[in-house]
Amino acid sequence: MTEAHDLSRRTFIKMMGAVSATSAMGLAACGSQRASEAGGSSASGTADTITFAQGADPRGLDPAYVDDGESAKIMIHIYENLVTYSDESCDVEPSLADSWEISDDGLTYTFHLHEGIKFHDGTDFNADAVVWAISRELEPNRTDDMTYASFIYGTASEGSGVESVTAVDDHTVAIKLVAVSAPFIKNLAMCVGSPLPAPVSDPSTLMENPVGTGPYKFVSWDKGQNVKLVANDDYWNDDRKAKTKNLIFRFITENASRVTALNNGEVDIIDGIDDSVADQITSGGDKLYSTDGMNINYMAFNCTTNSVCQDENVRKAIAKAVNVEEMVKSLYGDYATVANSVMPTWMAPYDEDIVQTAYDPDAAKQELADLGVTSITCITYSNSRPYNTKNGQTLAEAIQGYLSKVGVTMDITPYDWTTYKTKVQTDPWDVCFYGWVGDNGDPDNFMNLLADATPTMNIAQFDDAEYKALIAEGAAETDEDKRNDIYHQCEKIVAEKQPWLLVSHSADLYGYSPKLTGFVVHPTGVVRMWGATKSN
């Protein structure tokens, strides 16, 4: 058996060290709280409430059913995983499991659970609870709306992922894989899909009444307003124990309104910032932090038979019409870089010679005319996202302008984020706008999106046998250099077959009060607030 406390296969993620709010830089937050809700102070001179403002409600609070950052930011404080990432990187560390081993053949992971932990409802955390939580995301139990299930646990019927999960004894769990999976241990630390809820009698209640083992307990969710959490006084891990009693996530749709709320002292930390409000944050006496994000912002082409974009030639011609470099500079200024790779360039050593479709409006106009394409339909989101600080509508309108110059009209229908997540699955469209924030620092986490069978992950519904075979090969390969070569080939296929128009990699940009210290922004795009305090 192979000891596996430090199983991080890659070191590049260390470049994205998490940032403590005790530094001179800033940290992130989202949402807005009214001054009357700001909370009182404790005898120690620190406030008993911190408010984090974000741009939208969570889609839900059951980790098996959500795949968005708004949900993840809240859930990381309520739930925990068998393993977790360090504050500084995506290196894997113990969490609910004190230790684990991997069998010599790489197929069986045996986890030894921490004893004496209870869920927020008083239920014992034990091996049966782990089996319950994971089993519901395995075949044949998983449902189509468990968007991360196949991404994390694979599809055993297709020769990948988890074959079984069993309780060896009350505090030991064995997970057996169908095939070796290099990213599997990192997948178990993800902030969606992998966190472990209590085995409640009615699992449907977890979406709005979450029950976990984490440093904060759920109090309430006022839709469109806020989610309130309270410190878990019986929390088991002193290193992660909540230092502030109340944590409120407040929802403010408009970027400018979040900044105003921060400057007015109504909220303590915000995210979803763009370059247009950076000066307003600092001139108002608050702090700003910016660092390269682990994300990709893209336009997806509908690769199914339902769209004119099923034709690779149409996709390439549309891509030629868009001056991506000019657009990124105009929209995002210094807070985003042009995407030449699916993965951020600091993370991906295999993107250096990838050649994306070049801007050529004359060729685009001729090719689209020859193909008979005069109009396309587009749906998009109306609020900001971590990978797109403007919003999907603004980005869509920029591309609409480029297409109009080559004789193609683009009809845009925007939706709020929660509605959009449904519409992108149910409504007809030729192009849509989406993005991705890396979950675990492994290239599989980005590249596997275009091989996944789930349309909520593989938005373009790109279906390429060669690409899928390479993704499977990459997951099974344990030699890092060989894995890099495999994902390099995947990058070339994406560039050649154009299921996405790559746009940008956004900086992680946050505003926060100088009174706030002790929180950590992680490379995976979530903010760890349990160590945060606010002075009066």
Side-chain angles (χ1 to χ4, degrees), residues 158-441:
E158 296 180 3
S160 69
V162 176
E163 178 180 302
S164 64
V165 52
T166 57
V168 178
D169 57 41
D170 282 350
H171 297 98
T172 309
V173 174
I175 300 178
K176 185 176 181 181
L177 306 184
V178 176
V180 173
S181 174
F184 180 67
I185 193 68
K186 284 191 171 185
N187 289 352
L188 292 181
M190 288 184 188
C191 54
V192 293
S194 300
L196 303 175
V200 295
S201 58
D202 182 1
S204 67
T205 62
L206 291 170
M207 281 293 275
E208 297 190 8
N209 292 280
V211 182
T213 60
Y216 279 95
K217 298 190 294 186
F218 175 78
V219 175
S220 64
W221 180 1
D222 184 1
K223 299 291 179 65
Q225 297 297 317
N226 60 51
V227 165
K228 294 182 178 181
L229 308 180
V230 66
N232 177 11
D233 291 336
D234 299 320
Y235 186 57
W236 64 278
N237 187 345
D238 289 341
D239 291 339
R240 294 161 61 99
K241 198 172 184 69
K243 292 186 177 181
T244 298
K245 181 178 179 181
N246 304 301
L247 180 59
I248 298 176
F249 290 85
R250 192 162 179 88
F251 316 127
I252 303 178
T253 303
E254 297 296 329
N255 289 9
S257 297
R258 287 197 297 281
V259 175
T260 299
L262 176 66
N263 284 164
N264 289 344
E266 299 171 7
V267 304
D268 305 304
I269 183 170
I270 65 172
D271 66 2
I273 303 165
D274 62 36
D275 60 303
S276 67
V277 297
D279 289 344
Q280 184 181 344
I281 290 172
T282 54
S283 64
D286 292 301
K287 294 190 175 184
L288 185 71
Y289 173 76
S290 175
T291 188
D292 289 340
M294 187 166 65
N295 58 61
I296 178 66
N297 179 26
Y298 64 85
M299 182 177 78
F301 292 101
N302 187 338
C303 296
T304 73
T305 56
N306 298 322
S307 170
V308 65
C309 294
Q310 68 175 300
D311 186 341
E312 181 183 321
N313 294 315
V314 172
R315 302 196 296 266
K316 299 283 279 190
I318 290 174
K320 290 177 184 178
V322 182
N323 189 334
V324 175
E325 184 173 358
E326 176 185 72
M327 180 175 67
V328 169
K329 184 64 177 177
S330 174
L331 288 179
Y332 308 114
D334 295 331
Y335 296 110
T337 57
V338 174
N340 188 60
S341 163
V342 173
M343 289 168 285
T345 54
W346 56 263
M347 175 180 164
Y350 18 79
D351 74 324
E352 295 175 357
D353 58 357
I354 301 299
V355 179
Q356 302 295 335
T357 301
Y359 175 56
D360 189 343
D362 292 336
K365 186 173 184 177
Q366 183 63 55
E367 291 170 18
L368 288 165
D370 291 345
L371 291 163
V373 178
T374 59
S375 65
I376 59 173
T377 59
C378 164
I379 65 171
T380 190
Y381 51 92
S382 57
N383 56 293
S384 64
R385 303 294 302 147
Y387 42 78
N388 177 11
T389 54
K390 289 296 183 182
N391 63 54
Q393 184 172 352
T394 299
L395 178 56
E397 289 170 353
I399 290 180
Q400 181 186 55
Y402 284 113
L403 291 177
S404 68
K405 296 176 182 178
V406 297
V408 175
T409 60
M410 185 167 83
D411 179 52
I412 302 172
T413 304
Y415 298 97
D416 67 87
W417 179 248
T418 302
T419 303
Y420 180 66
K421 292 284 288 186
T422 299
K423 292 292 187 179
V424 79
Q425 304 303 318
T426 61
D427 288 16
W429 52 270
D430 296 310
V431 298
C432 77
F433 291 84
Y434 233 75
W436 186 255
V437 178
D439 294 294
N440 65 6

Side-chain angles (χ1 to χ4, degrees), residues 88-112:
E88 295 78 19
S89 72
C90 288
D91 289 347
V92 176
E93 299 179 342
S95 183
L96 293 174
D98 287 330
S99 62
W100 62 95
E101 300 93 32
I102 306 173
S103 61
D104 290 339
D105 62 6
L107 296 178
T108 301
Y109 289 67
T110 302
F111 293 91
H112 305 285

Side-chain angles (χ1 to χ4, degrees), residues 17-27 87 289 512 516-521:
V19 179
S20 171
T22 57
S23 72
M25 295 183 175
L27 192 32
D87 279 347
Y289 173 76
Y512 71 100
L516 193 65
T517 59
F519 54 91
V520 173
V521 60

